[in-house]
Amino acid sequence: MRYALTLIASSLIVGCTSVTSESLSEAEVNAIEDRIQAHHPDLSYSQQRAVTELVVRALDNMVFVEGGTFMMGEFGVPCEPGSEELCHADIWPDNDDLHEVTLDDFYLSRYETTLGDFDLYRAVMGKAPYAPELRSREDRQHLFEPNLPAWTKEWQEVKDYCLWVGELASKAVDLPTEAQWEYAARNRGENALYATNNGQWIRGVNSPGDDGVLKTLPVDSYPPNPLGIHHLTSNSAEWINDWYSKTYYQESPGMNPQGPDAGETKVIRSGGFRTSDSANTTILRDNIPPSASSYIQDQGFRCAVH
């Protein structure tokens, strides 16, 4: 009798603490739990549950993007309202070479990776919280709200985060390629200049208000683009899988381009909150070294499933 009661109590505990998912079956969630226990056997039960929730949340937040063909790069905007003559949308020359790209289906995260999830990953990997001198100050607590975009320092660390999620999920999770990012930002390759709900930039409505304060915002602050993806511009600049080359658009293969084989800097997309409104476009591309000297507030990332 005591043994039977123990079994019943155990089943009730499991039932009460089971992680639920919007997109995964119970069996799939259980498989994730098993992989987490195998990869991280020294974590406490509460830590394993938190990691399970992170992985399930990452998969639930993946937006399906049907593949297709589009013209990647500077597509031009009317030089004047109503004009048929097209002018460049920005001053950056490395996106001027319009070229045809075809992509397979993929998934892209609905949100930028949050500070809370990145903190948990780093803790699981035995790393101390970054920016401890700021975190300890009461007047800087607002910078570390868990739903803000993650601060980052190294391209490899953010790539490792996506690969770690993929390993625990048994999915091909990685950083998006540059072509995937632009295709999704432009609503499957439309000539959408801004990755907002309507392709326009309206301060305080679908982009940050003009209050003179430069800061990152919670990852779900403004309406998503038509695919359902939030903040592909205006919040945090985002690491991309590709190495950068200023001539790559002239050399890019047409099918599923992956970027150059090597390079000195990595592509980042989305201007982030420090970029002017007119430059926060879906075609803007920049590049930075793969490692910085410290963690940077407006340099984030999101994962994809290839």
Side-chain angles (χ1 to χ4, degrees):
M1 181 66 175
R2 181 180 299 174
Y3 177 69
L5 289 174
T6 300
L7 286 179
I8 292 171
S10 298
S11 64
L12 287 174
I13 291 172
V14 172
C16 289
T17 59
S18 178
V19 175
T20 59
S21 170
E22 298 174 0
S23 63
L24 305 175
S25 67
E26 183 178 352
E28 289 172 314
V29 174
N30 290 339
I32 290 172
E33 292 175 331
D34 291 342
R35 282 189 288 271
I36 291 170
Q37 189 170 19
H39 282 79
H40 303 290
D42 295 333
L43 295 181
S44 68
Y45 173 77
S46 61
Q47 289 173 318
Q48 288 189 356
R49 177 180 172 84
V51 174
T52 302
E53 290 173 341
L54 183 158
V55 175
V56 169
R57 182 166 56 249
L59 297 183
D60 282 348
N61 285 338
M62 286 294 172
V63 174
F64 174 71
V65 183
E66 182 181 357
T69 299
F70 77 117
M71 298 302 294
M72 183 174 177
E74 174 66 78
F75 52 80
V77 295
C79 296
E80 297 177 359
S83 171
E84 295 184 1
E85 182 181 1
L86 297 181
C87 291
H88 284 182
D90 65 35
I91 63 173
W92 305 105
D94 63 350
N95 59 22
D96 286 351
D97 294 288
L98 199 64
H99 58 291
E100 186 176 274
V101 166
T102 300
L103 297 174
D104 293 334
D105 299 345
F106 62 98
Y107 292 79
L108 187 63
S109 179
R110 187 180 310 277
Y111 306 113
E112 295 163 316
T113 301
T114 64
L115 193 151
D117 283 349
F118 198 49
D119 272 355
L120 175 57
Y121 163 73
R122 286 176 49 80
V124 168
M125 295 301 169
K127 299 180 179 181
Y130 51 83
E133 69 288 347
L134 291 179
R135 289 177 188 252
S136 63
R137 292 174 50 176
E138 290 188 10
D139 63 339
R140 292 294 183 269
Q141 296 302 304
H142 64 281
L143 298 176
F144 300 98
E145 294 293 331
N147 203 32
L148 293 174
W151 298 34
T152 72
K153 177 182 178 181
E154 297 177 348
W155 172 86
Q156 188 62 57
E157 186 177 41
V158 303
K159 182 178 176 70
D160 287 347
Y161 171 93
C162 294
L163 295 176
W164 173 75
V165 170
E167 187 173 21
L168 298 179
S170 191
K171 303 283 186 183
V173 182
D174 202 343
L175 288 170
T177 67
E178 185 172 20
Q180 288 174 331
W181 191 98
E182 182 171 322
Y183 182 72
R186 289 172 50 186
N187 192 31
R188 297 188 61 242
E190 294 179 356
N191 288 352
L193 193 57
Y194 299 105
T196 59
N197 57 328
N198 58 8
Q200 301 175 37
W201 186 272
I202 308 173
R203 272 204 169 271
V205 176
N206 59 11
S207 59
D210 188 13
D211 59 3
V213 179
L214 296 177
K215 60 183 179 180
T216 54
L217 299 167
V219 297
D220 57 353
S221 293
Y222 289 98
N225 78 343
L227 292 181
I229 304 174
H230 292 256
H231 283 296
L232 283 162
T233 54
S234 81
N235 204 25
S236 180
E238 298 181 12
W239 290 100
I240 301 297
N241 217 15
D242 304 27
W243 287 104
Y244 167 79
S245 166
K246 65 180 180 180
T247 61
Y248 186 68
Y249 275 20
Q250 303 168 25
E251 307 153 358
S252 171
M255 190 72 187
N256 295 318
Q258 304 293 307
D261 292 334
E264 296 181 355
T265 57
K266 284 292 184 179
V267 174
I268 57 169
R269 284 300 200 117
S270 173
F273 70 75
R274 301 182 197 276
T275 304
S276 65
D277 294 1
S278 60
N280 261 322
T281 67
T282 56
I283 60 173
L284 173 70
R285 61 197 302 256
D286 206 342
N287 67 103
I288 55 176
S291 181
S293 59
S294 62
Y295 282 83
I296 300 173
Q297 178 187 6
D298 59 334
Q299 189 171 290
F301 68 104
R302 72 181 74 219
C303 300
V305 179
H306 296 257

